[in-house]
Amino acid sequence: MLASALALAAVIAVSGTLFVTRVSRLAGLVRAAAPAQAAQRTGDVGRRAKNEATIVLGQRKLLQRLGPGLMHAFIFWGFLVLVPTILIALIGVVDKHSTLPWLGHQGWYALLVDVFCVLVLVGVVAAFYIRKVQRPRRFEGSHLGEADLILAMIATIVISLLLWHATRIALHLNEWPASWSPVSNALSHLFGDNQATKILERVFVWVHVLTILTFLAYLPRSKHLHIFVAAINVWFGRTRAGGRLEPLKFDDPDVPEEELRFGAGAVKDLTWKQVLDTFSCTECGRCQDACPAFATGKVLSPKLVIMGLRDAVFAQDTDAPLVPEAVPAESVWDCVTCGACIQACPVSIEHVDHIVDLRRHLVMVDSSFPAEAEPMLRDVERASNPWGKPQSERADWAAELGVRVLEPGDPPPEYLYWVGCASSFDERARRTAQATARLLAKAGVDFAILGPRESCTGDPARRIGNEYVFQAFAEQNVETLNEAGVTKIVTGCPHCFNTLANEYPDFGGRYEVIHHSELLSVLVRDGRIDITRVDNRYITYHDSCYLARHNDVLEAPRQLVSALGTPVEMERSGKQTFCCGAGGAHMWMEERAQPINEERVREAAATGAGTLAVACPFCTVMLDDGVQSAGAGLRVADVATLLSEALDDGGR
């Protein structure tokens, strides 16, 4: 007994030292990172607790794919149930006649152990099958050798536990009723009550314990580090709207100028949450599978971006440029900021924030960005809109509609209609603004527009990385809106919606912001807009990423579509929508490889619908272009346009 205790103490000391040494180094890397906005990472405790319960314990995101999700859940839940068996085994190594008080004697717990050992083994076999037989593309670039080793160790842990229990039953050493552990009891018939079984009982318990301690020492040095840090990363994940970006502080009096952060150019610029993100990556590739850029042959893989940053963090070369040393430049510019990667990630990694921070440094420090984006940035700064049109023409779309233009000193309306640059200047998107104005007027809604006083929200400049320009427009627009006494805003542009609702509060602009589809659906429901449904009209609705995924506006546009005809859902819809390709300033950038909008149009055409309804001016333009280039027989129209037409023709 003494020899066993000394041997156990020695291996625990070695394993524990290796574990603590590595964890201390990792913790030091996190502590040394740049600060993140405290309010975004520590408040809203109730929501964070819910995320722990649903995302971590409930495996909600993983179970979005039932097969692989159950595989992982069996292993994860199994290890939660089996944690006490580690203590039981440690006791058993020293004294085979002792066990954990109370729990070690419970038949119900022995049954749970048997059941979850089997489920863990099922999960391991399923994992090997997925990796070795199915070989999904999402694992490209992942460290599969490490995964195989980890799976083998997990299998060894549960098999050795079952065999140890089986030999204890055969030797009548079991403190629990054998009938409660059917698997171990069945295996016990392989062994007799003899000296060989006594030796095997010692072998199995030592194999079990040594494998666990090896596992403990190895995990912080492997990609399975996420086992320890995923729950922490989920806790510190964003709880506010997904579309919000954390602002850079250019005028913080408490930060010396030389310490101001201009995005992420080197490892030293990464925030502690971004470093924690890199440690949390499971290399599962779900983000890569969901990414529209990767799906259409672009260089970008959100998974490889995070893995590249992690390698840079571990290398600790704090001054080496992250682009292109850790992340290829093309990857940085391929991103459409749709958030599909974040939605899919089971450990709450915020890929878009990483990519935008890389862009910020490239644009503001290195003056490096795609050449085709230069006219857009120049036009935003010069003309206050990406189209480069004079501000005097911003309200031309409303010239014949009698829309009130809010002048300085005028009483504020119930709703300020924020038109946005696309609906002000693009011919196709203008129809949405005109239709929305007609419908609001018909319903008797008190609304007005700013006309020439409305400027670009700064969204395209911010998403491409020019935080300076964005903040200048944010401050200017907030001043205008506050001086006008605006409290409620309706807008048809999800990008404007996201910026006004989620990002302007950082600059003193707090308003009740509603998307035009939400207001119109209320007006239809209340009978203030009366239309007749056309049953033989099939309409498929495209969810805008910035409306559905980033801001949870899902039902209102569908209610309008259902009021107009028969809705037909696309394969990817709701929060699982596929991007139109315009986000992240890609409305003004050249696209490499297969166009994203054509891929989405093909999916829409496959529904058999004749109309592709949208609720975003960017989607209107991109998908209409996609229809023309793909030769699809679809009409693209905003829900407001369709509603206005139904009103005009009485629903016929």
Side-chain angles (χ1 to χ4, degrees):
M1 184 182 296
L2 179 60
S4 295
L6 291 174
L8 179 62
V11 293
I12 288 176
V14 172
S15 176
T17 300
L18 291 172
F19 177 79
V20 171
T21 301
R22 181 63 172 179
V23 169
S24 297
R25 184 194 170 201
L26 297 175
L29 292 174
V30 174
R31 286 195 301 269
Q37 195 174 48
Q40 188 179 351
R41 302 301 174 188
T42 56
D44 203 358
V45 173
R47 178 73 177 274
R48 297 184 191 282
K50 180 181 178 182
N51 287 342
E52 291 293 313
T54 59
I55 297 175
V56 179
L57 295 178
Q59 302 278 282
R60 173 173 60 82
K61 287 193 172 185
L62 282 164
L63 289 170
Q64 290 175 154
R65 297 185 178 198
L66 188 59
L70 283 175
M71 173 271 291
H72 190 278
F74 286 165
I75 296 173
F76 174 74
W77 292 333
F79 267 82
L80 292 182
V81 171
L82 297 176
V83 162
T85 66
I86 298 173
L87 292 176
I88 292 172
L90 292 174
I91 294 170
V93 162
V94 176
D95 182 2
K96 63 183 176 182
H97 298 290
S98 299
T99 188
L100 199 65
W102 183 72
L103 189 62
H105 299 266
Q106 302 303 309
W108 61 266
Y109 182 64
L111 176 61
L112 280 179
V113 169
D114 267 24
V115 168
F116 277 94
C117 277
V118 171
L119 289 178
V120 169
L121 283 174
V122 169
V124 168
V125 171
F128 271 118
Y129 178 80
I130 291 170
R131 285 165 171 77
K132 303 304 179 186
V133 179
Q134 290 185 342
R135 301 171 67 89
R137 194 182 177 198
R138 62 188 173 93
F139 288 124
E140 289 180 7
S142 298
H143 295 93
L144 295 181
E146 281 191 20
D148 293 345
L149 176 60
I150 292 293
L151 289 171
M153 293 176 74
I154 291 172
T156 301
I157 288 169
V158 293
I159 291 171
S160 61
L161 179 61
L162 287 172
L163 292 174
W164 179 49
H165 284 178
T167 54
R168 289 181 68 76
I169 292 172
L171 295 169
H172 308 290
L173 294 172
N174 53 296
E175 297 87 358
W176 70 95
S179 59
W180 278 91
S181 49
V183 179
S184 299
N185 195 28
L187 291 172
S188 70
H189 297 301
L190 299 174
F191 308 99
D193 186 0
N194 50 42
Q195 186 63 31
T197 301
K198 291 178 181 179
I199 294 171
L200 286 174
E201 188 269 340
R202 291 291 85 191
V203 169
F204 290 143
V205 71
W206 270 107
V207 168
H208 183 67
V209 168
L210 289 174
T211 306
I212 289 172
L213 293 175
T214 302
F215 195 70
L216 182 71
Y218 177 68
L219 277 184
R221 291 166 169 79
S222 76
K223 82 180 191 69
H224 280 71
L225 172 63
H226 72 269
I227 290 175
F228 297 118
V229 299
I232 302 171
N233 203 52
V234 169
W235 177 267
F236 287 116
R238 67 169 81 251
T239 57
R240 292 170 64 177
R244 175 185 176 271
L245 292 175
E246 188 170 331
L248 299 180
K249 301 292 186 181
F250 296 128
D251 54 358
D252 190 337
D254 298 326
V255 179
E257 186 175 346
E258 63 274 10
E259 294 181 17
L260 289 177
R261 186 170 172 273
F262 297 91
V267 168
K268 63 184 178 182
D269 299 320
L270 296 174
T271 69
W272 64 262
K273 175 58 170 68
Q274 290 173 333
V275 171
L276 195 61
D277 273 352
T278 70
F279 294 170
S280 304
C281 182
T282 71
E283 300 182 20
C284 67
R286 285 170 173 80
C287 59
Q288 180 176 285
D289 248 13
C291 177
F294 185 84
T296 52
K298 315 295 192 294
V299 173
L300 173 63
S301 160
K303 176 186 73 176
L304 296 181
V305 168
I306 300 302
M307 289 173 62
L309 293 174
R310 181 179 63 198
D311 290 345
V313 170
F314 286 155
Q316 289 190 282
D317 186 352
T318 57
D319 294 315
L322 293 174
V323 180
E325 296 295 325
V327 180
E330 284 183 72
S331 291
V332 176
W333 302 115
D334 282 341
C335 180
V336 289
T337 68
C338 68
C341 48
I342 300 172
Q343 171 72 21
C345 180
V347 293
S348 298
I349 293 171
E350 295 161 8
H351 312 73
V352 172
D353 298 67
H354 286 267
I355 292 172
V356 170
D357 260 1
L358 293 173
R359 288 182 176 186
R360 284 167 165 172
H361 192 274
L362 289 172
V363 171
M364 294 188 293
V365 177
D366 296 341
S367 297
S368 174
F369 49 87
E372 66 268 20
E374 184 175 0
M376 179 273 288
L377 287 170
R378 184 177 61 247
D379 286 339
V380 168
E381 292 190 74
R382 176 184 59 83
S384 298
N385 66 83
W387 273 259
K389 299 290 184 67
Q391 281 291 90
S392 58
E393 297 178 10
R394 189 174 274 274
D396 284 1
W397 63 271
E400 299 177 4
L401 298 177
V403 176
R404 177 160 78 100
V405 178
L406 193 64
E407 301 292 347
D410 285 354
E414 180 184 6
Y415 287 100
L416 176 83
Y417 177 26
W418 187 277
V419 184
C421 300
S423 293
S424 295
F425 299 113
D426 185 273
E427 288 299 325
R428 287 172 288 184
R430 275 185 170 187
R431 298 175 196 143
T432 301
Q434 293 165 341
T436 302
R438 290 193 191 98
L439 291 165
L440 295 180
K442 180 72 175 179
V445 175
D446 176 26
F447 75 99
I449 62 174
L450 284 174
R453 292 201 293 156
E454 179 187 296
S455 297
C456 179
T457 60
D459 166 83
R462 180 172 231 194
R463 264 66 195 173
I464 206 170
N466 198 326
E467 183 76 1
Y468 279 129
V469 170
F470 164 74
Q471 293 196 15
F473 276 98
E475 291 167 358
Q476 172 188 319
N477 285 325
V478 165
E479 182 179 357
T480 299
L481 291 167
N482 289 348
E483 286 180 353
V486 171
T487 58
K488 294 182 179 181
I489 299 174
V490 59
T491 180
C493 177
H495 297 264
C496 294
F497 175 94
N498 180 72
T499 304
L500 292 164
N502 303 322
E503 298 184 332
Y504 275 17
D506 292 321
F507 302 91
R510 291 173 174 80
Y511 319 103
E512 179 185 335
V513 185
I514 187 171
H515 188 255
H516 77 315
S517 65
E518 295 177 291
L519 180 54
L520 293 175
S521 69
V522 170
L523 298 176
V524 170
R525 183 196 65 198
D526 294 348
R528 293 169 68 179
I529 297 176
D530 188 17
I531 59 172
T532 303
R533 187 175 182 274
V534 181
D535 290 329
N536 61 353
R537 184 185 195 185
Y538 293 93
I539 307 171
T540 187
Y541 171 66
H542 163 76
D543 288 279
S544 160
C545 302
Y546 271 77
L547 196 61
R549 186 179 293 117
H550 285 318
N551 287 288
D552 299 320
V553 178
L554 300 162
E555 294 306 316
R558 285 175 168 77
Q559 290 167 0
L560 294 177
V561 169
S562 296
L564 292 162
T566 302
V568 186
E569 289 286 358
M570 282 184 262
E571 182 179 350
R572 291 174 285 197
S573 62
K575 295 181 81 67
Q576 308 299 327
T577 188
F578 193 78
C579 188
C580 75
H586 272 258
M587 185 86 163
W588 298 274
M589 292 165 63
E590 294 293 330
E591 186 170 5
R592 293 181 292 274
Q594 179 187 340
I596 293 173
N597 58 349
E598 291 182 16
E599 175 70 14
R600 185 56 164 170
V601 164
R602 278 188 283 271
E603 189 172 348
T607 66
T611 302
L612 173 52
V614 296
C616 169
F618 286 14
C619 295
T620 300
V621 174
M622 294 296 291
L623 295 178
D624 190 54
D625 286 345
V627 165
Q628 294 176 37
S629 56
L634 282 167
R635 184 205 172 191
V636 180
D638 190 274
V639 290
T641 302
L642 296 173
L643 194 62
S644 179
E645 290 173 351
L647 192 65
D648 291 340
D649 64 16
R652 293 187 297 276

